[in-house]
Amino acid sequence: MQAHLVTLPGDYIGPEIIAQAVKVLEAVARRYGHRFTFDERKLGGASIDAFGVPLTEETLAACNAADAVLMGSVGGPKWDDVEPARRPEKGLLALRKGMGVFANLRPCTIHPQLAGACPLRADIIAKPIDIMILRELTGDIYFGKRWRAEDRKAATDEMAYSEMEVERLARIGFEMAKKRRGKLCSVDKANVLECSRLWRETVQRLAAQYPEVEVTYMYVDNAAMQLILRPSQFDVMITGNLFGDILSDESAAIAGSLGMMPSASLGSGTRGLYEPIHGSAPDIAGKDIANPLGTILSGALLLRHSLGLDAEAAAIERAVSGVLDEGYRTADIAAPGTKTVGCIAMGDLVAARI
Ligand code: NAD
């Protein structure tokens, strides 16, 4: 197949990790007979330096014309004094909005080779953990009205959801559960919040259209606890923006290593935005020690969710697993007895296994 991809390396370690993901995607293209074209654009601080703004209209238009977008990470101390409206992170928010992506996917798996980095007890992670958290990205308390009393001693943030916003997110969750282990857990606070009652009623209505999916409902306080006590019970989890923000970071802590975690942001079509969950790591930039695996695995999500290339996505995931099996680690995940390699060498090892 032919696919046109935009890459947005961003700042600090961004270009280093994106180069490795591109290398691996090129290896996939060669191995499976595809043609991927890459259009590299600037985002965040790099765009501020070049054009004065963190995201230009041309870059957004290029992203919206691509089959998918792969991003590194943005921001860092160099732009700390930039006025709030033009900060690097604003470019990322504008990009998500401009691309119309509303579902944030965060897979949480524990690579058995890195189980030592997981803070949970060995008996809790003895059963395989493979969770897909879907967080709604464009609604909820983050986008409601805000109010602060004149005397500054009281404040309100409004939580708002529409049926349409819940339904489009939940549909992605049901479709995903169908292709995975057929289980979906909807997380809310329906015992207290009206938004959550709307959320639950909408999911219940949709559930009738997906009889093959086993649906459970869980209050968010319990879900936070269950993720720690019995994470293996979850397959797909769907939840709102605020609860998802918290639960997805909790799940990242379970997986144990920031540098390993991919993410995807999807809209109603197949075009998506793919990025590792970590930031631009200014403290290690330019030293060839960043872990590129979160970005490489984001490339696998891109193949699966935007291009429909399941076998190729699985090939990347197997290659990463194989390299870890051989004992290779970047510095952030190194342990006694493993072989420490740099960012470029790690990219080479994964590409070679494709
Ligand atoms: P960070 O994720 O950049 O770094 C936290 C720690 O993890 C650092 O010690 C760093 O060296 C390490 N780390 C992160 N990614 C790594 C990798 N791939 N390999 C090895 N080690 C890795 O978070 P921070 O320091 O709080 O933020 C730095 C900058 O990144 C800030 O400007 C922040 O706003 C920005 N940020 C951007 C994004 C994004 O682009 N989506 C997300 C989070 C933070």
Side-chain angles (χ1 to χ4, degrees), residues 135 142 220 224 227 241-251:
R135 164 190 174 194
Y142 296 147
V220 63
L227 260 178
N241 205 344
L242 172 65
F243 301 154
D245 193 355
I246 299 164
L247 293 179
S248 59
D249 267 27
E250 190 185 344
S251 74

Side-chain angles (χ1 to χ4, degrees), residues 263-282:
S263 82
S265 298
L266 303 177
S268 39
T270 56
R271 185 178 306 117
L273 171 64
Y274 300 84
E275 55 180 304
I277 70 163
H278 58 73
S280 60

Side-chain angles (χ1 to χ4, degrees), residues 11-13 17 43 71-80 87-89 92 96 258-260 275-285 289-295 330-333:
D11 307 318
Y12 289 100
I13 63 165
I17 53 180
L43 179 75
M71 198 196 97
S73 50
V74 297
K78 186 175 176 203
W79 303 279
D80 275 353
R87 286 180 63 89
E89 300 78 15
L92 179 53
R96 288 182 181 145
L258 201 56
M260 297 291 304
E275 55 180 304
I277 70 163
H278 58 73
S280 60
D283 52 333
I284 58 165
I289 56 172
N291 184 345
L293 295 177
T295 318
T330 43
D332 57 313
I333 51 172

Side-chain angles (χ1 to χ4, degrees), residues 127-198:
K127 280 194 187 161
I129 293 168
D130 181 6
I131 311 171
M132 180 65 85
I133 298 190
L134 250 88
R135 164 190 174 194
E136 202 285 331
L137 263 192
T138 61
D140 209 340
I141 199 161
Y142 296 147
F143 293 90
K145 287 193 204 105
R146 297 184 204 300
W147 172 85
R148 184 78 182 260
E150 259 171 43
D151 66 3
R152 315 294 292 163
K153 290 185 178 166
T156 306
D157 292 282
E158 186 183 84
M159 178 181 274
Y161 260 121
S162 71
E163 187 186 62
M164 178 277 287
E165 288 171 318
V166 180
E167 179 167 340
R168 65 185 186 178
L169 185 277
R171 263 198 202 287
I172 296 184
F174 277 106
E175 291 297 332
M176 224 157 250
K178 253 170 55 175
K179 292 192 201 139
R180 291 171 48 101
R181 303 194 304 282
K183 283 167 56 175
L184 180 130
C185 177
S186 176
V187 176
D188 61 36
K189 189 73 186 169
N191 48 346
V192 179
L193 300 173
E194 201 53 43
C195 277
S196 282
R197 286 193 270 274
L198 170 73

